[in-house]
Amino acid sequence: MRALFYTGTQQSEIRETPDPVAVDGEAHVDVSYCGICGSDMHAWHGHDPRRVPPMILGHEAVGIARAGQYAGKRVAINPLMTCGSCRHCLSGDDHLCAERDLIGMFKAGAYAEQVVVAERNLYPLADEISDEDAALAEPLAVCVHAVEIARKTLRRPVSESRCVVLGGGAIGVLTAMVLADQGAKDLWIAEPNALRREVLEKACAVKAYDPAQGGPAEKSADLVIDCVGAPVTRKAASGLVMPGGTIVHVGLQEAGEGLDTRYFTLQEITFAGTYCYTRYDFAAALQLLTRGLVGNREWIEVRPLEQGAQSFVDIHEGNAPPKIILKMG
């Protein structure tokens, strides 16, 4: 089969490779589409020691199951693999499983014509949802989970809160969509890339702004969701959040400084980390997509697998929309 291999720091190429082999409990999926995630970019930049080249990245995938209970059906892939038997898995917090793994991390991912994944991680698709939209289920599940954590900690409903999203990539725009779906009206996205800002306001009811040129007033946000996770965005979140407000940290770009913990303590700021999603969040994301959460698609570009290597370069150089999805066939 053909696959896009991450071959070294800022390097990738199409290669022919043997078809993957399934073991008991696993299913072959003929991949139709797979989105490029920020974590894939992080690996491509050589910043993720867990993803060792040469390897096939990619985990935001949809395709057709070859065998098993979903044979011949379109399925979305939940790429998060867990043990299924620990206290976290049994309580519904499977994303906290100590044995969690992700396809495209240690196990071959989905920038390929085929991928193998546990059959329990397959979700059949309703007729109303397109393959392209279904490829957004995984990143959308991240956003559903983050917004649910925010909702539980906010002192007022989302509909009455000023909400600021830091980062206008796919996670940022999908987070804004989930917030808007829950009634947010005073909704902002900080995005320094002019190309992305052009399409963000068309994607959903949000005010897109360049953080270097202004934006919401200091200490004015009930909720700040950091979809970047860098020192500069953590500092921005500390400056934007009002007394009694909430910061939800989604991005994983860089560890380190940026948080004003003295202010957090004196003004009772809630700071919550969030990672991945539960299986319930993934199912909820598919339901949102099925009922048409993603309307305007100008922020999404579908490219053939052959353009995968160049797509990583384009994202790196800031010459890409918020989301690129690779088509395998």
Side-chain angles (χ1 to χ4, degrees):
M1 69 174 185
R2 293 178 311 144
L4 177 67
F5 275 79
Y6 159 52
T7 55
T9 300
Q10 297 187 25
Q11 296 178 339
S12 51
E13 63 182 40
I14 300 290
R15 291 182 178 178
E16 289 288 336
T17 189
D19 294 349
V21 177
V23 299
D24 288 346
E26 292 185 329
H28 271 98
V29 176
D30 290 325
V31 181
S32 303
Y33 296 88
C34 186
I36 297 179
C37 175
S39 64
D40 297 319
M41 291 299 302
H42 194 64
W44 184 81
H45 282 116
H47 296 157
D48 190 343
R50 299 170 298 179
R51 293 173 163 99
V52 179
M55 74 168 302
I56 305 170
L57 301 174
H59 55 271
E60 301 176 357
V62 60
I64 298 176
R66 282 191 167 192
Q69 61 179 320
Y70 302 125
K73 294 183 178 180
R74 298 185 308 132
V75 291
I77 295 174
N78 178 345
L80 186 64
M81 299 173 290
T82 61
C83 74
S85 58
C86 69
R87 60 182 294 182
H88 293 303
C89 288
L90 294 176
S91 67
D93 290 325
D94 40 314
H95 64 304
L96 299 179
C97 175
E99 297 181 23
R100 69 190 181 197
D101 193 4
L102 201 73
I103 62 170
M105 185 174 292
F106 299 106
K107 184 180 178 67
Y111 294 145
E113 292 176 322
Q114 295 179 39
V115 71
V116 164
V117 68
E119 189 170 18
R120 68 184 183 188
N121 284 47
L122 302 182
Y123 289 67
L125 299 178
D127 292 340
E128 294 82 1
I129 185 172
S130 68
D131 287 353
E132 295 93 327
D133 280 3
L136 298 171
E138 197 275 346
L140 180 57
V142 171
C143 306
V144 168
H145 186 67
V147 171
E148 178 62 13
I149 287 177
R151 189 189 63 78
K152 290 178 179 177
T153 58
L154 281 170
R155 296 175 186 247
R156 54 184 55 81
V158 169
S159 60
E160 299 174 12
S161 300
R162 167 167 284 180
C163 304
V164 181
V165 177
L166 302 181
I171 296 296
V173 67
L174 288 170
T175 295
M177 287 181 177
V178 175
L179 288 167
D181 188 68
Q182 295 198 9
K185 301 176 184 67
D186 191 359
L187 181 56
W188 301 69
I189 290 185
E191 174 51 58
N193 185 300
L195 176 64
R196 288 186 171 185
R197 285 199 309 275
E198 287 182 12
V199 300
L200 288 173
E201 291 189 352
K202 298 177 183 178
C204 62
V206 64
K207 305 178 188 75
Y209 70 97
D210 182 349
Q213 302 295 325
E218 291 285 292
K219 307 292 189 287
S220 71
D222 299 275
L223 170 65
V224 182
I225 301 185
D226 184 352
C227 297
V228 179
V232 65
T233 53
R234 285 190 289 273
K235 183 178 180 180
S238 295
L240 285 166
V241 69
M242 68 168 55
T246 292
I247 297 172
V248 177
H249 197 268
V250 183
L252 281 171
Q253 194 173 98
E254 299 172 55
E257 58 190 19
L259 298 179
D260 186 349
T261 54
R262 179 175 175 81
Y263 173 61
F264 289 5
T265 302
L266 292 174
Q267 300 298 340
E268 289 195 354
I269 306 300
T270 298
F271 179 87
T274 173
Y275 179 73
C276 271
Y277 40 79
T278 70
R279 58 186 179 273
Y280 306 110
D281 297 320
F282 195 92
L286 281 172
Q287 290 176 351
L288 287 171
L289 292 167
T290 299
R291 67 174 175 82
L293 179 77
V294 179
N296 183 295
R297 291 169 174 77
E298 290 186 23
W299 60 283
I300 302 168
E301 184 176 345
V302 177
R303 299 183 179 183
L305 179 63
E306 287 76 13
Q307 294 181 17
Q310 184 60 46
S311 296
F312 274 77
V313 174
D314 289 346
I315 295 170
H316 170 70
E317 294 180 347
N319 297 321
K323 192 66 179 179
I324 292 178
I325 298 174
L326 299 180
K327 183 178 182 181
M328 298 305 125

